[in-house]
């Protein structure tokens, strides 16, 4: 059987080579339709959603527990483990091939299992058990360090030795398209004697990838590179909205709290680790050599292009404010997971690991407004008038990402959010 | 009807006035029995557990959804809201009164619904949705500050303005009696050039109370004092195990991570907010006056005595290493909750808020070994020989707490943990 990643594979559903969801991708999501059926599991193919619940009812997919596709999150499917993930993907690929008449020529079945994406509502695809956010781009950490501490002390002493991270708040994880209300919080501008409470004045985004953990680990046990990798179900785009002024006043000494707690947005389609396999690359050289528990024997980075587009209310077209690549990350997702479990911390199905802001070596590769506007000191012009340092009410921000194959793309769609005024 | 908190109430089950679970308490927990029945909800009374599932099956409690007591966590019961919490507690109190023959004289029913505590296994009483840890004792924050930064800069600038907190890790929350494995992690002693990976050398406890959140709040909405209070289902004892050396190397700039992620222990019985009502007291004066969103109109602290006992392997009897009181906390649990939601952060049923280490003004009131041994510089003697600065393998630590009423106690039982050697 042809491997589902084979670049020569074609589906009977035509997919333009510049689009995100060809047969080589097959990302998982949760969708609902206007007919009142409950949210359920689907796979994106071209401009359609393949309804796995309907497909499984028709016995076209052999999964031990049919109910996993009737669930409103992917957690029950993920619980079945990597062998099942792989088998189901192969079977879906087979069903969608241009030369397989099974679904292609069964019009009645096709009408039941293929839903135009324009007709579905996409939901948060997982129940987020825990949300952890890392800080793993050397360029981003250096930029932030230079802004606050100057060039000579840009990186903190621990940064080159471990993937620095912190526990985020899982309860405000939302799916693309959810509007984001500007948070209020304690602010203490440098020139103020005492703090005040009010709307955030320095609202930012952070361009990140989110790693979806699909298997649990045992409390007290560490993870090998192999074990960590096998636990990764897939990846999403992640926007780690940040209230820089709230964060700056609150974060010493226990880290970010309310400045990050109001919202985190993710893209609705989980691109599987398997689909990204052809795009593995080595990350930057790690010097000093990481401690043995963090060493990796394989390339664990991905060549994954990333764009950020900003559109203010008065703008007809969005403006590109960042183009970078996931491959620049200094610490890989596998290393982050190995570090996360290193103290014996149990990982759960549905844990989400934010990569940390993805910046690159060039100026146009900065993944946050903090860096793009250099802490607000370098405003940039909007086409058609106006300037930006941080986000204004009504601004819409969209993150997109894809891996470029030979004649096709494995893409993530987008994660979009529009800012509502503070209450 | 007599209020369930009435000090004159007596049960037909005799409870010694020095014991934790008289009829004025009625804390909720989850237990199982050797008969193979699944874990279910119970209430502690004296040395017995009242099986609420059996009781409800017999129609002795009127709860809309009987299933809540058959659940393996209290989350479904908590979801029913404060009016139901109050009504069920009143009904249980009524059933246990010395002058009510309903259960007292029905021996068959008593045999079915009352299980000796010695015969049950107690489980983690809630599914922890999110775990947040605060830093709300001024004495503790000052002690830590003096140790690391000296007297003049002991408190960070934000400390008197907000309840400083951070997101902890919910996946390693365990119930009392669970053994705790010494974590491994990155360590960099002051005299080392580079970090190494190995067993924690400075393993500590933190004496805390945990607030169990029983109702959710809406993303984007703040909470009033009333709303925050009504969401609190009850309290548990909490030991926030801490690997001081891992924490010290990792925590800049994003806060504690692996140094706190390996285990957090709580007591099995949730003492309801209602049962603690008679023990409300004002906290310390807050100067400067908190910002309006943090102001409280009622005394939101509790006069709740707390003990910590340490027992090393060779010791016959445990040694008291701390006796303090929850009333010393500068920021109340209600203020912590109001702050937590202030950015629009949604709270969930099953969220657990650690109060932060509870120290007091006196030396014997220090709630961590970090303070008791003054960062390891003041070892203390164990009876029968040996010294301690931090925890050694085999050490058992027990936290206990109770409110002293007139002729009775509303107690928490204990949270115990014994240290296993690192793997």
């Amino acid at each position: 059987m042809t491997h589902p990643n084979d670049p020569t594979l074609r589906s009977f559903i035509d997919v333009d080579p510049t689009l995100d969801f060809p047969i080589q991708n097959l990302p998982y999501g949760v969708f609902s339709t206007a007919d009142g059926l409950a949210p359920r599991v689907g796979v994106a193919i071209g401009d359609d959603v393949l309804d796995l619940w309907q497909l499984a009812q028709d016995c076209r997919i052999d999964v031990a527990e049919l109910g996993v596709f009737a669930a409103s999150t992917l957690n029950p499917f993920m619980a079945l483990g990597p062998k099942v993930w792989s088998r189901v993907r192969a079977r879906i690929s087979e069903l969608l091939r241009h030369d397989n008449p099974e679904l292609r020529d069964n019009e009645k079945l096709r009408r039941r299992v293929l839903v135009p994406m324009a007709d579905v509502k996409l939901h948060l695809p997982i129940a987020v058990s825990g949300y952890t956010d890392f800080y793993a781009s050397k360029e981003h950490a250096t930029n932030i360090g230079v802004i606050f501490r100057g060039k000579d002390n840009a990186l903190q002493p621990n940064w080159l030795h471990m993937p620095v991270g912190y526990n985020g708040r899982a309860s405000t994880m939302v799916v693309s398209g959810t509007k984001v209300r500007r948070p209020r919080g304690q602010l203490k501008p440098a020139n103020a004697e005492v703090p005040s409470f009010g709307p955030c004045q320095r609202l930012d985004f952070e361009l990140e990838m989110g790693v979806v953990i699909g298997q649990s680990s045992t409390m007290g046990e560490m993870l090998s590179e192999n074990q960590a990798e096998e636990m990764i179900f897939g990846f999403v785009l992640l926007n780690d909205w940040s209230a820089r002024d709230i964060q700056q006043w609150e974060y010493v000494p226990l880290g970010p709290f309310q400045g990050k707690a109001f919202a985190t947005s993710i893209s609705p389609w989980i691109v599987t680790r398997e689909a990204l396999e052809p795009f593995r690359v080595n990350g930057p050289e790690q010097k000093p050599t990481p401690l043995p528990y963090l060493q990796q024997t394989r390339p664990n980075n991905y060549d994954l292009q990333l764009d950020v587009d900003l559109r203010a209310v008065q703008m007809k077209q969005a403006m590109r404010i960042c183009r970078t690549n996931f491959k620049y990350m200094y610490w890989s997702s596998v290393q982050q997971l190995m570090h996360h479990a290193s103290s014996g911390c149990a990982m759960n199905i549905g844990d989400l690991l934010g990569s940390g802001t993805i910046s690159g070596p060039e100026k146009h590769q900065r993944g946050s407004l903090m860096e793009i506007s250099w802490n607000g000191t370098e405003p940039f012009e909007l086409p058609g008038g106006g300037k930006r340092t941080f986000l204004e009410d009504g601004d819409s921000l969209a993150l997109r990402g894809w891996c470029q194959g030979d004649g096709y793309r494995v893409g993530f769609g987008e994660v979009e959010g529009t800012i509502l005024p503070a209450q």
Side-chain angles (χ1 to χ4, degrees), chain A:
Chain A
M1 203 176 81
T2 321
H3 191 279
N5 287 349
D6 191 307
T8 65
L9 272 186
R10 281 188 300 125
S11 170
F12 60 85
I13 297 174
D14 230 27
V15 182
D16 187 277
T18 64
L19 293 184
D20 283 335
F21 307 128
I23 192 169
Q24 287 83 3
N25 192 346
L26 306 178
Y28 290 93
V30 169
F31 74 102
S32 60
T33 37
D35 54 20
L37 284 181
R40 54 203 185 273
V41 173
V43 154
I45 175 74
D47 293 322
D48 286 328
V49 177
L50 181 68
D51 185 329
L52 293 194
W53 181 56
Q54 295 281 5
L55 205 60
Q57 277 187 311
D58 201 65
C59 302
R60 303 289 168 158
I61 307 181
D62 168 36
V63 178
E65 301 173 67
L66 173 68
V68 298
F69 296 130
S72 63
T73 72
L74 276 153
N75 296 44
F77 176 60
M78 294 195 294
L80 301 178
K83 278 185 192 145
V84 176
W85 309 341
S86 203
R87 201 184 66 222
V88 169
R89 183 164 178 268
R91 174 65 181 139
I92 294 170
S93 172
E94 190 190 25
L95 276 168
L96 290 171
R97 286 177 63 147
H98 76 289
D99 53 3
N100 181 352
E102 194 175 348
L103 178 56
R104 185 192 67 194
D105 297 348
N106 185 340
E107 212 195 311
K108 201 173 144 198
L109 183 62
R110 273 174 55 188
R111 270 209 310 270
R112 218 172 76 226
V113 302
L114 286 166
V115 191
M117 209 174 285
D119 297 345
V120 310
K121 181 175 179 294
L122 293 169
H123 300 261
L124 196 67
I126 57 170
V128 183
S129 301
Y131 168 46
T132 306
D133 195 27
F134 286 89
Y135 187 56
S137 149
K138 191 173 174 186
E139 290 80 7
H140 170 70
T142 303
N143 285 338
I144 298 296
V146 170
I147 288 172
F148 287 112
R149 289 179 303 275
K151 242 184 207 169
D152 296 336
N153 303 299
L155 284 187
Q156 300 283 4
N158 55 15
W159 200 92
L160 289 169
H161 298 281
M162 66 170 76
V164 171
Y166 67 101
N167 300 296
R169 179 77 190 171
S171 70
T172 44
M173 193 66 63
V174 294
V175 73
S176 177
T178 308
K179 290 192 180 356
V180 171
R181 193 165 290 287
R182 178 181 298 274
R184 290 179 290 180
Q186 277 202 31
L187 316 168
K188 190 177 168 296
N191 57 0
E193 287 262 321
V194 291
S196 56
F197 187 84
C200 162
Q201 304 295 316
R202 296 157 66 84
L203 186 57
D204 203 352
F205 75 96
E206 289 191 341
L207 164 63
E208 303 194 16
M209 293 301 296
V211 179
V212 177
I213 304 302
Q215 291 280 279
S216 57
S217 75
T218 307
M219 184 172 166
E221 307 274 337
M222 295 180 64
L223 296 172
S224 69
E225 181 186 12
N226 268 339
Q227 288 171 321
E229 189 177 332
E230 289 246 301
M231 287 168 62
I232 296 177
F233 178 70
F235 293 80
V236 290
L237 299 161
L238 185 148
N239 182 348
D240 186 40
W241 303 98
S242 299
R244 298 296 180 196
D245 38 10
I246 299 175
Q247 187 183 348
Q248 196 176 350
W249 172 233
E250 76 180 354
Y251 90 105
V252 174
L254 300 182
F257 185 43
Q258 292 304 288
K260 299 272 196 173
F262 56 99
T264 308
S265 302
I266 61 172
S267 54
W269 294 108
I270 306 176
V271 176
T272 61
R273 174 169 50 82
E274 194 175 290
L276 294 177
E277 199 57 39
F279 309 101
R280 273 178 187 271
V281 290
N282 281 305
E285 193 191 0
Q286 296 187 312
K287 249 186 168 176
T289 304
L291 286 162
Y293 83 101
L294 288 173
Q295 285 170 17
Q296 39 190 11
T297 60
R298 284 188 298 278
N300 283 324
N301 281 36
Y302 297 97
D303 184 357
L304 195 170
Q305 295 206 55
L306 292 159
D307 282 349
V308 183
D309 287 359
L310 170 69
R311 197 165 65 77
V313 178
Q314 74 277 11
M315 285 163 66
K316 289 209 178 91
Q317 259 195 314
M319 163 193 192
R320 170 90 13 102
I321 59 172
C322 168
R323 166 163 286 191
T324 184
N325 197 302
F326 193 35
K327 73 182 174 189
Y328 295 124
M329 297 308 275
Y330 188 86
W331 296 103
S332 74
S333 305
V334 167
Q335 288 179 313
Q336 292 175 349
L337 189 47
M338 291 194 289
H339 180 63
H340 206 325
S342 65
S343 68
C345 177
M347 304 306 300
N348 280 332
I349 296 170
D351 280 341
L352 187 65
L353 274 48
S355 61
T357 307
I358 305 162
S359 294
E362 305 295 325
K363 213 168 164 177
H364 70 273
Q365 294 176 323
R366 294 171 175 174
S368 68
L369 286 172
M370 188 72 186
E371 295 162 272
I372 295 170
S373 77
W374 210 250
N375 196 20
T377 62
E378 299 177 11
F380 60 92
E381 309 269 343
L382 302 182
K387 290 183 181 185
R388 280 295 176 277
T389 48
F390 292 96
L391 294 168
E392 308 268 330
D393 294 343
D395 283 0
S396 159
L397 203 88
L399 279 49
R400 290 187 193 82
W402 70 95
C403 298
Q404 187 62 54
D406 188 8
Y408 68 99
R409 278 182 176 188
V410 170
F412 285 77
E414 68 170 25
V415 54
E416 189 274 344
T418 300
I419 305 302
L420 297 177
Q423 269 195 329

